[in-house]
Amino acid sequence: MMMKETIAEAEKALLHTYNRYQLVLERGEGVWLYDMEGKRYLDFVAGIAVFALGYHYQDFDDALKAQIDKILHTSNYYYNLPAIEAAKSLKRISGMDRVFFTNSGAEAVEGAVKTARKYAYRKDGRTDHEIVAMNRSFHGRTMGALSVTGTPKYREAFEPMIGHIRFADLNDIESVKAQINERTCAVILETVQGEGGIYPANEDFLKELRGICEERDILLILDEIQCGMGRTGYYYAWQKYGVKPDIMTTAKALGGGVAVGAFLMTEKTAQRSLEAGDHGTTYGGNPFAAAAVAKMIELFEKNDILRHVREISAYFEKELDGLAGKYDFIRERRGSGLMQGLDCAGPVIGRAMDKGLLLINAGPSVIRLLPPLIITREHVDEMIRILDESLRETIA
Ligand SMILES: *Cc1c(COP(=O)(O)O)cnc(C)c1O
């Protein structure tokens, strides 16, 4: 079967919740993907910030295969070795104290929200606590995560949300203060907003917010699902500013392609929030997913991925700025490390795809670039060449 027919079959079987690109991807190698007809693409999407180490990283694949031969799943009523290893590794790279593994990012956000509510409940026994979230934010598609997602069109048809959520603007501390009151139990934000259009939280905002939360015993929840795991040149983007959250979420690149997420918290938060029986999951932290996490972190450390990201992202930013300077209709380049956006309208992404470069959008008008963290200068050059050509044809 050819790709076109395969896509027609897919559209008869899968629920149509995505307007997908007309592409059936079959295999990957390093930073390259191949469709079912053998055409090669340079991948600047990485499965949406998932494939940090690229495709077919041999050591990683070997570790997964070895775990398959031992055991895939136990149950959280027992301990398993990979989960212990993964939790210890996550504590080491994040500086947080306690880990709960989930199967996805949205579930990690659910856990973070429940933790915040329980923390406040244990203080005063009330059940009307509020959470402040950000406009333009994205935290996932389950009801709790959706409730703190600041894009009304994602929420509208599914109202009522969990309730008691107020929205403020990222990087506008006065707007946050205006939404805080004596019932506020948490403030949640992405350290770098992803889906909403690549907007990094700035240092002063984060520091002031940390101060306000400290003063009022409000929990600061940082969603690091997209910007975490080395993407900004730090394991977690907040580490650049030293603004430590009380609760943090991580997923996407955490399992390098295996479905896994986690929410982490400080010891103080853990001691005063969730207790035995309060939260659970069948699959979360299963030996297979946990083996992936442990191996990812081991490979990050062994290969000093953070140093590589810091080096290559300086070049990446410089080259993107060059493009932004060349075309009037690119309004801005924004981002941090290997999480970048070009604010620009036009059908550029489809053109680039035809020419063998994969990109995605963020929000209505931003081209989002999320390459595997192992890219080299040659890959950046090739991306710039194709993107430049696509932009030129867009204005022609
Ligand atoms: C992708 C994403 C989520 C949701 O993760 P899923 O694994 O798709 O549930 C939550 N928060 C942020 C910041 C994300 O980028």
Side-chain angles (χ1 to χ4, degrees):
M1 226 180 348
M2 297 301 281
M3 199 150 75
K4 233 183 143 94
E5 291 135 48
T6 309
I7 290 170
E9 298 266 277
E11 286 303 333
K12 279 186 236 156
L14 295 170
L15 192 65
H16 192 89
T17 52
Y18 283 92
N19 287 317
R20 293 181 161 89
Y21 292 105
Q22 299 299 293
L23 199 57
V24 183
L25 292 170
E26 195 167 53
R27 65 190 178 88
E29 198 63 57
V31 302
W32 302 94
L33 282 168
Y34 295 83
D35 70 21
M36 61 178 287
E37 292 173 356
K39 184 174 165 187
R40 190 173 89 145
Y41 301 85
L42 178 60
D43 180 23
F44 269 61
V45 178
I48 313 190
V50 166
F51 281 92
L53 302 178
Y55 303 92
H56 268 309
Y57 200 104
Q58 197 61 51
D59 282 0
F60 182 67
D61 289 3
D62 289 346
L64 294 185
K65 287 172 190 166
Q67 189 58 47
I68 289 173
D69 287 337
K70 283 185 192 153
I71 192 166
L72 283 176
H73 176 77
T74 52
S75 151
N76 280 312
Y77 284 107
Y78 309 99
Y79 298 95
N80 76 72
L81 292 169
I84 299 165
E85 187 62 35
K88 279 164 55 186
S89 301
L90 252 183
K91 282 183 59 172
R92 184 170 66 245
I93 65 169
S94 68
M96 304 297 284
D97 301 314
R98 299 268 168 184
V99 183
F100 184 102
F101 287 110
T102 65
N103 308 290
S104 67
E107 282 172 82
V109 173
E110 296 290 332
V113 166
K114 280 180 73 175
T115 303
R117 281 191 167 179
K118 184 72 194 285
Y119 181 92
Y121 175 81
R122 282 178 66 173
K123 270 196 302 192
D124 61 15
R126 293 177 65 143
T127 53
D128 59 352
H129 296 107
E130 298 184 357
I131 294 175
V132 176
M134 298 299 136
N135 289 314
R136 230 173 28 205
S137 65
F138 182 84
H139 296 290
R141 303 296 197 142
T142 54
M143 289 308 286
L146 193 57
S147 298
V148 290
T149 288
T151 310
K153 75 162 189 221
Y154 289 153
R155 296 195 310 261
E156 191 179 281
F158 308 102
E159 297 278 354
M161 294 287 113
I162 64 169
H164 301 272
I165 310 294
R166 292 167 176 266
F167 288 94
D169 290 326
L170 184 74
N171 293 334
D172 179 350
I173 198 71
E174 293 306 321
S175 82
V176 178
K177 281 187 192 160
Q179 300 303 332
I180 287 179
N181 59 46
E182 70 286 353
R183 291 185 305 281
T184 310
C185 67
V187 177
I188 182 168
L189 66 148
E190 300 155 85
T191 320
V192 182
Q193 286 188 335
E195 305 293 322
I198 314 290
Y199 292 94
N202 65 43
E203 182 167 1
D204 289 346
F205 175 79
L206 283 173
K207 286 190 165 152
E208 275 194 71
L209 185 57
R210 181 65 275 183
I212 292 166
C213 289
E214 208 64 59
E215 211 172 279
R216 307 190 60 144
D217 199 19
I218 291 169
L219 298 178
L220 177 62
I221 305 174
L222 292 180
D223 182 342
E224 290 266 350
I225 290 169
Q226 191 162 150
C227 61
M229 276 305 276
R231 187 146 290 277
T232 66
Y234 294 80
Y235 277 112
Y236 290 100
W238 58 263
Q239 290 168 332
K240 182 172 177 184
Y241 309 116
V243 175
K244 189 175 176 179
D246 302 291
I247 307 173
M248 185 194 96
T249 58
T250 178
K252 289 199 164 88
L254 181 63
V258 174
V260 58
F263 61 99
L264 290 79
M265 61 191 79
T266 60
E267 188 64 29
K268 177 186 165 204
T269 311
Q271 291 304 332
R272 300 177 188 194
S273 59
L274 299 180
E275 299 165 280
D278 276 344
H279 198 54
T281 163
T282 297
Y283 269 125
N286 68 77
F288 183 68
V293 174
K295 196 66 189 181
M296 278 296 280
I297 295 172
E298 182 193 316
L299 292 172
F300 262 72
E301 291 179 326
K302 199 168 100 189
N303 298 308
D304 205 350
I305 297 291
L306 295 188
R307 199 178 72 182
H308 174 72
V309 171
R310 288 176 197 176
E311 281 168 8
I312 194 70
S313 50
Y315 184 68
F316 186 48
E317 286 184 10
K318 177 171 92 50
E319 293 297 303
L320 286 174
D321 283 339
L323 268 193
K326 203 163 147 185
Y327 296 99
D328 287 347
F329 65 101
I330 301 181
R331 286 178 289 270
E332 193 182 21
R333 189 232 2 121
R334 287 191 297 271
S336 181
L338 293 181
M339 180 173 182
Q340 296 288 337
L342 291 176
D343 200 332
C344 105
V348 180
I349 294 174
R351 279 213 173 80
M353 191 177 100
D354 291 341
K355 295 175 194 297
L357 169 66
L358 297 188
L359 301 165
I360 40 165
N361 65 312
S365 70
V366 176
I367 300 173
R368 179 166 38 158
L369 300 107
L370 301 164
L373 305 185
I374 55 165
I375 53 160
T376 62
R377 281 179 175 237
E378 288 68 42
H379 301 131
V380 174
D381 292 344
E382 176 70 358
M383 177 277 289
I384 292 285
R385 186 187 68 72
I386 300 178
L387 184 53
D388 193 8
E389 219 176 275
S390 308
L391 289 163
R392 203 177 323 128
E393 286 174 18
T394 302
I395 51 172

